[in-house]
Amino acid sequence: MEENMDESQSQKGCKECCERCVGSLPWASLIATILLYMGVALFCGCGHEALSGTVTILQNYFEVVRAPGQTLDVFTIIDILKYIIYGLAAGFFVFGVLLLVEGFFTTGAIRDLYGEFKITACGRCLTAFLLFLAYLFFLVWLGVTAFTSLPVFMYFNVWSMCQNASLVEGPKLCLDLRQFGAVTISEERKLCTGSEKFLKMCESNELDLTFHLFVCALAGAGAAVIAMVHFLMALAANWGYLKDASRMQKYEDIKSKEEQELHDIHSTRSKERLNAYT
């Protein structure tokens, strides 16, 4: 009998412990962090490979070569974009960790109004600062999403030309890199439908793979935007809870002080009455 009671108490204790652990998790921040990491990883990985595929297409089919020296050409711009991708991957990994840690601290503050660091002025300032950063990075990812849609649109046009190349009649359609700003006006890098290089480009895997990689990078940027919106909602809610918790703590402090003063006054009067009686 005693063994059954011990087993039931241990099971009840494990259940309460699991419920406490699950309840203390910042689910909003956790989901937003996972979504942010997935979006950033998809954007950085697919974007990097898509840029490498673009370099291959420019070199093999449009015969574009690197400019000598430190001239700013399309290849240099692509290298700069790759370094920006490296910075985004590293920076948002750290930023996601900071937001997740803040979510754990704030969730503890909500569960316990008398926490130490969580509802202090420093904790509220940290939440406000992260809220500002989240809004700033939300705007950044909106810009990144808009910028990523440009190569998707260009590659979609090229891919559509390849799909309909056999149906084109009359004048040939041409791709001129000068229209995209990839080369200077004096250079002529043109590829027209019906040419051998155009057909090879359409039949190669580079074009189809690069196009779909840019589409995946666009999807990753969109996922990062959604994750930043989740973080904004979670941080705004945490800020409101922390503000209410701070006010409640001040109210409880004032109430305890008043009760202590009333207790002291009552004790003093009791002593005075006792002295007067004796």
Side-chain angles (χ1 to χ4, degrees):
M1 185 68 179
E2 292 180 356
E3 292 181 357
N4 294 333
M5 291 179 63
D6 293 337
E7 291 180 358
S8 62
Q9 289 178 357
S10 62
Q11 292 178 356
K12 185 177 180 181
C14 293
K15 182 180 179 181
E16 292 178 353
C17 182
C18 292
E19 291 177 352
R20 193 183 306 111
C21 292
V22 172
S24 61
L25 288 176
W27 290 106
S29 298
L30 188 61
I31 294 173
T33 303
I34 295 174
L35 186 60
L36 178 65
Y37 283 164
M38 291 176 59
V40 172
L42 190 62
F43 171 79
C44 293
C46 294
H48 183 275
E49 293 303 316
L51 291 174
S52 300
T54 301
V55 172
T56 303
I57 291 174
L58 292 176
Q59 290 177 338
N60 293 342
Y61 303 106
F62 289 92
E63 298 181 353
V64 181
V65 295
R66 286 184 177 270
Q70 300 295 327
T71 306
L72 184 64
D73 59 354
V74 62
F75 297 108
T76 306
I77 295 175
I78 288 176
D79 291 337
I80 293 173
L81 292 177
K82 286 183 178 180
Y83 285 116
I84 292 175
I85 286 176
Y86 301 150
L88 283 175
F92 277 91
F93 174 79
V94 177
F95 184 66
V97 171
L98 289 176
L99 290 177
L100 185 60
V101 170
E102 189 275 341
F104 275 103
F105 274 109
T106 309
T107 302
I110 296 170
R111 295 290 183 268
D112 185 6
L113 296 181
Y114 296 100
E116 297 175 358
F117 167 76
K118 300 92 170 180
I119 59 176
T120 60
C122 182
R124 295 196 302 274
C125 290
L126 178 61
T127 302
F129 177 70
L130 290 177
L131 183 61
F132 169 75
L133 283 183
Y135 181 75
L136 181 63
F137 289 145
F138 165 72
L139 297 179
V140 169
W141 276 108
L142 278 181
V144 171
T145 304
F147 181 78
T148 310
S149 64
L150 296 178
V152 172
F153 176 73
M154 290 188 292
Y155 272 97
F156 176 76
N157 289 334
V158 177
W159 182 78
S160 299
M161 289 178 61
C162 290
Q163 297 297 317
N164 302 320
S166 60
L167 303 178
V168 176
E169 297 180 358
K172 294 182 179 180
L173 299 178
C174 296
L175 291 171
D176 195 345
L177 293 184
R178 292 177 295 184
Q179 296 176 339
F180 304 105
V183 295
T184 60
I185 300 298
S186 60
E187 297 182 71
E188 184 177 352
R189 292 292 184 268
K190 188 182 296 184
L191 203 60
C192 298
T193 57
S195 63
E196 183 180 355
K197 286 187 177 181
F198 184 84
L199 295 176
K200 286 183 178 179
M201 182 184 67
C202 293
E203 292 174 357
S204 64
N205 294 326
E206 286 90 353
L207 179 63
D208 188 67
L209 180 61
T210 304
F211 171 54
H212 287 90
L213 284 174
F214 271 120
V215 172
C216 293
L218 180 61
V225 171
I226 297 174
M228 297 312 301
V229 173
H230 274 257
F231 274 125
L232 283 173
M233 292 189 295
L235 289 170
N238 289 343
W239 168 257
Y241 284 131
L242 288 175
K243 195 172 182 180
D244 292 340
S246 177
R247 291 178 179 176
M248 181 63 69
Q249 186 180 22
K250 291 180 180 179
Y251 170 75
E252 293 293 339
D253 291 340
I254 293 173
K255 183 179 178 181
S256 62
K257 288 180 181 179
E258 291 179 351
E259 290 178 352
Q260 184 64 34
E261 290 177 355
L262 290 175
H263 178 71
D264 294 340
I265 292 172
H266 181 72
S267 298
T268 303
R269 290 181 178 178
S270 299
K271 290 180 180 179
E272 291 177 351
R273 290 176 182 177
L274 182 61
N275 293 332
Y277 179 77
T278 54

